[in-house]
Amino acid sequence: MNSVLVVDDDPHIVRALAITLKGQGYTVTTATDGESALHAAAQRPVNVVILDLGLPDIDGTTVIARLREWSAVPILVLSARHGSGDKVEALDAGADDYITKPFGLDELLARLRAILRRNTESSGETAVIETSSFTADLSKRQITKSGQDVRLTPTEWNILDIMVRNPDKLITQQQLLTEVWGPAYAKEANYLRVYMAQLRRKLEVEPGTPRHFITEPGMGYRFVP
Amino acid sequence: MNSVLVVDDDPHIVRALAITLKGQGYTVTTATDGESALHAAAQRPVNVVILDLGLPDIDGTTVIARLREWSAVPILVLSARHGSGDKVEALDAGADDYITKPFGLDELLARLRAILRRNTESSGETAVIETSSFTADLSKRQITKSGQDVRLTPTEWNILDIMVRNPDKLITQQQLLTEVWGPAYAKEANYLRVYMAQLRRKLEVEPGTPRHFITEPGMGYRFVP
DNA sequence: CCGAATCTTGACGCGCTCTTAACGCGCCCG
DNA sequence: CGGGCGCGTTAAGAGCGCGTCAAGATTCGG
């Protein structure tokens, strides 16, 4: 899922971090000097770099600067030095966070989560659902059918949103009614029939014989991509 | 330029930080407890929040969570406690960075710069947006329409900025209102109608039939280049 | 302290969406 | 075989959301 590049000149630290991170579900690549770190980062895109400043060959700040020449990958810096001069230098060179050794593993992991959260949020995951007759982009709130944009009213969109987020799953009428209109309308099955017809007319190839918005008689509806 | 909200229960620290930050060119708002901090953030959008965890009324982690309910503003946490438990809690609640007191001012400023750099980098990928009727240069804050420069008021610009940074994406009215006016104005859909009309009159070829600032009835607006 | 630009606020009309009711059809069950 | 229930379809009135305009309030610069 998330890939991390760990760079430290001490093999023990590298190994300990690698084991911990793998245990958390990260994919881990390692390097013990600046050159191989830059090489590794160029070989395979990573989601975040954990970088020790005290490397044998290149100065840590230089590594950051060289990385920043072509990559915007988040960098989390480790350092044994407590002086604030190093911190300022590293952060201004383009690092995203800075921890001084010795550090708690839980803190490192928390900062890692914070960095990754920021990153995935801003890049905006594109959740796109495709069917044989239309395409739905949930983040853009946009529907396309054979190249043509389809306009949905708010209520239509609410229903579609729920259906599409639960593919192949049966959704009872009460679920839909309470989610869209509120619990007070749980008995108004009429509304559903009207709006399901609207959706089918707008999105199905043959609204008469629906292929994606399936009625399960007596129970509810089912969306099949 | 960049606005900072400083929250700390110690007025001395608040004042010292405010003076330092203003000296760096930031616009500074202050608060000495959680409630007024949330209120201040709701009144007017800020670019970053500096938050002390030890507030007299609300727990710092709760303040973070309440802020995160509606805002993605970066949060830099200060704390007197060194235990890693607090750090993990605050970071997982949605904070972006964490410094323990006492801290060096230069380190604080460096971390602030790192946070703000991240924020503007990720959003400001394409500086220039072109459409069939006008050209927008986000870094220069300049709009050109058929060779002629167009003057936009600050509010007009804020709206255009948000729309243009999210092309083809539907932006709900609440999103626009909270981003531009603050969450306190989330219900004032009137403002949007007025300003959207202004933008269309200034930027669209036919303001009556807009091609770039599209209304999605009942949902929001969409910018299509 | 004054003037201009900008923001806020209210009123009005139009179009669209939601609501609601009526009708026909097919299926299940008596 | 016939009645009832559930579902799909259609249509029409009511209400709401949107665009527009204009005037008062506020801010900002000179």
Side-chain angles (χ1 to χ4, degrees):
Chain A
M1 172 173 162
N2 270 319
S3 62
V4 187
L5 170 61
V6 177
V7 189
D8 197 305
D9 60 328
D10 184 346
H12 296 99
I13 295 185
V14 170
R15 196 150 42 106
L17 281 179
I19 290 171
T20 308
L21 292 170
K22 280 177 186 166
Q24 298 288 319
Y26 296 99
T27 307
V28 182
T29 320
T30 60
T32 50
D33 59 83
E35 280 300 343
S36 54
L38 289 168
H39 189 250
Q43 278 310 98
R44 165 182 293 274
V46 293
N47 296 109
V48 59
V49 175
I50 299 180
L51 174 68
D52 178 40
L53 275 195
L55 295 179
D57 52 345
I58 323 178
D59 175 55
T61 312
T62 312
V63 176
I64 298 173
R66 299 231 340 235
L67 256 176
R68 279 285 172 270
E69 285 172 12
W70 57 272
S71 170
V73 59
I75 302 175
L76 172 56
V77 168
L78 309 178
S79 173
R81 283 169 272 180
H82 286 75
S84 67
D86 288 330
K87 295 186 188 175
V88 174
E89 222 176 290
L91 290 169
D92 280 343
D96 294 280
D97 204 346
Y98 192 109
I99 313 184
T100 47
K101 299 180 186 177
F103 50 84
L105 271 182
D106 48 354
E107 180 187 345
L108 176 74
L109 291 173
R111 286 188 183 269
L112 214 53
R113 284 194 295 273
I115 287 178
L116 287 170
R117 165 165 40 81
R118 279 277 296 269
N119 215 44
T120 52
E121 259 175 21
S122 57
S123 63
E125 295 290 314
T126 49
V128 180
I129 282 88
E130 281 198 66
T131 74
S132 59
S133 67
F134 68 91
T135 308
D137 189 324
L138 293 197
S139 61
K140 287 186 187 173
R141 288 207 172 197
Q142 196 173 40
I143 313 282
T144 358
K145 183 187 176 190
S146 58
Q148 208 78 33
D149 274 15
V150 180
R151 268 182 40 82
L152 293 188
T153 72
T155 312
E156 285 163 10
W157 178 267
N158 283 336
I159 295 173
L160 179 98
D161 190 54
I162 297 174
M163 306 269 315
V164 159
R165 285 186 202 278
N166 298 286
D168 293 320
K169 196 172 160 189
L170 176 91
I171 316 201
T172 66
Q173 303 188 357
Q174 294 184 2
Q175 262 179 285
L176 281 169
L177 287 165
T178 53
E179 292 259 355
V180 176
W181 282 273
Y185 294 78
K187 297 277 186 181
E188 301 285 349
N190 259 325
Y191 296 7
L192 273 185
R193 298 197 196 101
V194 173
Y195 277 96
M196 207 54 75
Q198 300 262 35
L199 276 177
R200 295 208 254 241
R201 196 179 321 142
K202 288 186 178 179
L203 298 178
E204 294 274 9
V205 179
E206 290 180 86
T209 58
R211 294 202 163 176
H212 303 109
F213 298 95
I214 308 297
T215 303
E216 300 281 355
M219 317 206 45
Y221 296 89
R222 185 193 307 273
F223 170 73
V224 299
Chain B
M1 174 176 157
N2 271 320
S3 62
V4 187
L5 171 62
V6 177
V7 190
D8 197 305
D9 60 329
D10 184 344
H12 297 99
I13 295 185
V14 169
R15 198 150 41 107
L17 280 180
I19 291 171
T20 308
L21 291 171
K22 279 177 186 164
Q24 298 289 319
Y26 295 101
T27 308
V28 181
T29 320
T30 61
T32 50
D33 60 83
E35 278 301 342
S36 53
L38 289 168
H39 190 250
Q43 277 312 98
R44 173 167 289 279
V46 292
N47 294 109
V48 59
V49 176
I50 298 180
L51 174 70
D52 179 41
L53 275 196
L55 295 179
D57 54 345
I58 323 177
D59 176 53
T61 312
T62 312
V63 176
I64 298 174
R66 300 246 318 253
L67 257 176
R68 278 285 172 269
E69 285 173 10
W70 58 267
S71 171
V73 59
I75 301 176
L76 172 57
V77 167
L78 310 178
S79 175
R81 283 169 271 180
H82 286 73
S84 68
D86 288 330
K87 294 185 189 177
V88 174
E89 221 178 289
L91 289 170
D92 281 342
D96 294 278
D97 204 344
Y98 191 109
I99 314 185
T100 47
K101 299 179 185 176
F103 50 84
L105 271 182
D106 49 353
E107 180 186 347
L108 177 74
L109 291 173
R111 285 189 184 270
L112 214 53
R113 284 194 293 273
I115 287 178
L116 288 170
R117 164 165 41 81
R118 278 279 296 269
N119 217 42
T120 51
E121 256 177 23
S122 56
S123 50
E125 291 293 327
T126 51
V128 180
I129 282 89
E130 281 197 65
T131 74
S132 59
S133 67
F134 66 92
T135 307
D137 189 324
L138 293 192
S139 57
K140 287 186 190 169
R141 291 208 158 204
Q142 197 172 41
I143 312 281
T144 343
K145 182 188 176 189
S146 58
Q148 208 78 31
D149 273 17
V150 180
R151 252 187 70 75
L152 292 189
T153 71
T155 310
E156 285 164 9
W157 179 267
N158 283 335
I159 295 174
L160 179 98
D161 189 57
I162 297 174
M163 305 268 314
V164 159
R165 284 186 202 277
N166 298 285
D168 291 321
K169 195 170 162 187
L170 184 131
I171 323 231
T172 66
Q173 304 188 359
Q174 293 187 0
Q175 265 178 284
L176 281 168
L177 287 165
T178 54
E179 292 265 350
V180 176
W181 282 274
Y185 295 79
K187 296 277 185 179
E188 302 285 349
N190 260 326
Y191 296 9
L192 272 185
R193 298 197 198 104
V194 174
Y195 278 95
M196 206 54 75
Q198 300 263 33
L199 277 177
R200 295 208 254 239
R201 200 177 317 144
K202 288 186 179 180
L203 299 178
E204 293 274 8
V205 178
E206 289 181 86
T209 58
R211 294 203 164 176
H212 303 108
F213 298 95
I214 308 296
T215 303
E216 300 279 356
M219 311 188 71
Y221 295 89
R222 187 193 305 273
F223 170 73
V224 299

